[in-house]
Amino acid sequence: MIKKVKLILVVCTTIFISSCANDDEKPNSLESNVGISQEIKDLIVFEGDQDAPIVIVNAQAGADDELHRDDVEDIISILGDTGFLAVNVHQAQTINPDLINRSDITLDQAISMNTQSIEMLYKVIKYFKDDGRTVYVFGSSFGGLVTQGLIAKKGIDVADKYLIVANRLDIDDIIWQGLSEGRFGFFENGINPVVSPNPEENVIERNTARIIAGFTMYRYTELFKDYNDLSKITYVYGKTDEVVGRLTPAEIEFMESKKIRIIEGNGNHDQTTSGDTIIPIFTDLFGMK
């Protein structure tokens, strides 16, 4: 039986290994403060100093159908609540879970949803940039795909820095094609792609697969080719990543040509997204307590 390794399961390890308890019903800790417009509050959960000069914008891993507060709580526990504001941004399927919970969607519908997710992420980033803040974007696993989509559509100068973890620029065709049909896959030893012969039984998982396919179908080396300098990006990957596979020599060569900082780890997907790997990189890029 083919082992199914799903990006949807990776939401638990965006910054460091923590519980997946969802505190969505808990109001924003700064809800009574009017410093953030209600229009933006409707798109995010947040923790930290509302007036902070540095904003960490998290593109949520998943693709899940709920927005998670623990992501921003983890960020603030790492960086401290003085001088930082951490926000987690809604995606199309978190702001309207019925889009994926009731019936099968098409790949075209998934692509349209991903476009909405990128626009929401962009709107939040632009809001804080227009307010004179420094904005850093963090995307782990599926969140990295959303971040890459943002850069492809809106440009590298939307934010000040980007940390992309456990992802790929050009994932193997067999993987995204399987995902588009609701079939998950994995990479043996981080190299050889294997796809399940059958679609997932659960409609949410089939639709999640299609949402992922709506990002991984693109060749980001092609979408990024006209950028001369992508040095704002730090890219972390694992050599034995079973979920997305390791970066290929061609991807690494492309990144180096665009001045992307590459950090290689020997671990699998969970090890690459865990705190032992990410926290030192995170604090080095974005600031210490």
Side-chain angles (χ1 to χ4, degrees), residues 11 14 20-26 28 40-46 57-73 86-97 117 120-121 124 142:
V11 295
T14 53
C20 286
N22 190 319
D23 298 318
D24 241 1
E25 295 182 359
K26 175 183 172 183
N28 283 316
I40 296 301
K41 286 181 180 178
D42 290 342
L43 297 179
I44 62 175
V45 291
F46 58 93
V57 177
N58 184 66
Q60 182 168 288
D64 201 4
D65 61 353
E66 296 176 308
L67 188 66
H68 294 276
R69 171 173 293 281
D70 56 346
D71 289 357
V72 293
E73 290 174 343
V87 306
N88 192 24
V89 184
H90 265 296
Q91 296 164 358
Q93 74 280 355
T94 64
I95 209 162
N96 184 5
S117 297
M120 285 188 281
L121 182 61
V124 170
F142 178 76

Side-chain angles (χ1 to χ4, degrees), residues 223-241:
L223 295 177
F224 292 166
K225 69 178 183 180
D226 291 333
Y227 293 113
N228 294 322
D229 187 346
L230 294 175
S231 59
K232 290 184 177 183
I233 301 173
T234 295
Y235 215 99
V236 183
Y237 80 101
K239 290 175 67 175
T240 59
D241 192 320

